[in-house]
Amino acid sequence: MNKKLSPEDAFYENLTLGLIKTLSNVPRVCNVNLERRQPLNLCQVVNWEQRHCVYLPEDMKKFYLSTDGFVLNWSYQYAPSDIRRVGYIHFPHLLQVTLLRENIENTHSVSNSTSSTSTAATSSTAPKDKSDNAPPIIMPKTKIFEINNINEVAKVCMFYESTNSNNPRFYLLELNTLSWQFLAETFSEYLRMAIAHLGLPYWELCFSSFGLPSWTEQLFLLLAPHLLEKHELRRGRIINPACEHPYNIIDPNIFRGKPKGLAKTLANSNKPHK
């Protein structure tokens, strides 16, 4: 008989699409650990938006109202006495989502006086990424936020074309060349991609122009060789449901907040003891 999950366990089970249970059944994968965090309140989210003069996309806002990011990591047993922590999925605290510091104003940028026609022309003539996506156009009102640093060679960025938009896209910025690689249309898609790649180390570099480090590629070949297939375009690719991978869709309803019972528990735990 299956043990009934607590409301908090069920929340994180749904949030990670059952990845913890999946990893626990993979040979040689061990020490699967999830760092759970309390949700933000609406005032904290609004303060972040006002500080940066942008609106978070709705799915991302609901995520942070449910949990202030999370960290999932796991280890791989290379030998009986050689266990190394390699798997890593990191969604930062909202306060850690900050403006990008790199000076990228001159990479495919356009001025205020540029017309929409010339902008389109710039986009069409700019070099495309490895998946044939046009690079983003950086304008005076563009805002770019750093989500993750990938081994000091690339950064996952949330890209607002202007401060009037609340539909940012997610890109990989290669630091050596300051070139862009498209990752995801939405925050939910980026979250799903991290889970679909099992948190394998530096999975985002699958989308880079220089590829994965060799030791990471070996792990991919051992645990998820289908993710390295060259003949399939990654963009637009759908992971088909299968009996061994029953969790493959993120339900946006899970971002409505943690269950009421859990919220009361958290509130009581924060009260000062008399």
Side-chain angles (χ1 to χ4, degrees):
M1 183 176 179
N2 292 331
K3 183 180 177 182
K4 186 177 180 181
L5 296 176
S6 69
E8 185 176 15
D9 288 339
F11 169 78
Y12 282 105
E13 180 80 3
N14 291 328
L15 179 65
T16 60
L17 307 182
L19 179 61
I20 298 172
K21 186 183 295 183
T22 299
L23 287 171
S24 299
N25 294 325
V26 176
R28 295 179 178 268
V29 171
C30 57
N31 302 330
V32 181
N33 180 61
L34 175 69
E35 177 190 317
R36 304 182 181 193
R37 297 174 179 172
Q38 293 190 10
L40 296 178
N41 58 51
L42 184 59
C43 182
Q44 291 170 304
V45 174
V46 171
N47 284 343
W48 185 94
E49 292 178 323
Q50 291 177 341
R51 184 182 306 119
H52 296 292
C53 300
V54 295
Y55 291 104
L56 285 174
E58 196 62 26
D59 57 349
M60 192 172 181
K61 181 181 293 186
K62 289 179 178 179
F63 171 83
Y64 278 104
L65 290 172
S66 305
T67 177
D68 188 15
F70 71 88
V71 176
L72 188 151
N73 52 59
W74 49 267
S75 301
Y76 188 77
Q77 183 179 13
Y78 288 88
S81 59
D82 185 8
I83 298 176
R84 306 178 195 176
R85 195 175 76 173
V86 291
Y88 186 68
I89 296 178
H90 174 234
F91 282 83
H93 296 283
L94 183 59
L95 283 177
Q96 295 174 325
V97 178
T98 54
L99 285 167
L100 187 69
R101 294 182 179 181
E102 275 70 21
N103 181 17
I104 54 171
E105 284 83 354
N106 295 323
T107 57
H108 307 303
S109 60
V110 293
S111 65
N112 265 322
S113 59
T114 305
S115 66
S116 58
T117 303
S118 61
T119 300
T122 302
S123 179
S124 62
T125 57
K128 295 185 177 181
D129 67 14
K130 64 177 292 185
S131 299
D132 206 32
N133 294 292
I137 302 299
I138 299 172
M139 295 181 284
K141 291 187 177 181
T142 294
K143 286 204 171 184
I144 306 170
F145 294 89
E146 179 181 336
I147 303 295
N148 273 318
N149 189 315
I150 313 301
N151 199 31
E152 302 297 333
V153 298
K155 290 185 176 183
V156 176
C157 297
M158 179 169 62
F159 190 99
Y160 285 84
E161 289 187 356
S162 74
T163 52
N164 298 325
S165 169
N166 67 337
N167 295 305
R169 304 174 89 196
F170 291 77
Y171 287 86
L172 187 71
L173 174 64
E174 298 177 357
L175 298 181
N176 285 343
T177 59
L178 295 181
S179 58
W180 297 94
Q181 303 291 337
F182 177 67
L183 281 180
E185 288 281 355
T186 64
F187 175 79
S188 293
E189 184 184 355
Y190 174 60
L191 171 60
R192 183 173 178 270
M193 288 169 68
I195 295 168
H197 285 81
L198 310 179
L200 283 159
Y202 313 140
W203 67 266
E204 293 94 339
L205 298 185
C206 287
F207 301 87
S208 70
S209 61
F210 46 82
L212 294 164
S214 57
W215 70 271
T216 302
E217 190 168 357
Q218 289 300 315
L219 269 179
F220 271 78
L221 290 171
L222 285 169
L223 301 177
H226 60 283
L227 295 174
L228 295 179
E229 292 173 0
K230 302 296 184 184
H231 62 276
E232 287 191 73
L233 290 176
R234 292 183 182 278
R235 302 311 317 149
R237 178 177 179 176
I238 298 175
I239 299 178
N240 294 320
C243 57
E244 67 271 23
H245 298 293
Y247 309 97
N248 72 327
I249 298 174
I250 291 179
D251 182 356
N253 290 329
I254 67 170
F255 293 147
R256 290 178 180 173
K258 294 185 178 179
K260 292 182 179 179
L262 177 60
K264 290 179 180 178
T265 302
L266 291 171
N268 291 334
S269 65
N270 290 331
K271 288 182 179 179
H273 296 287
K274 294 182 179 179

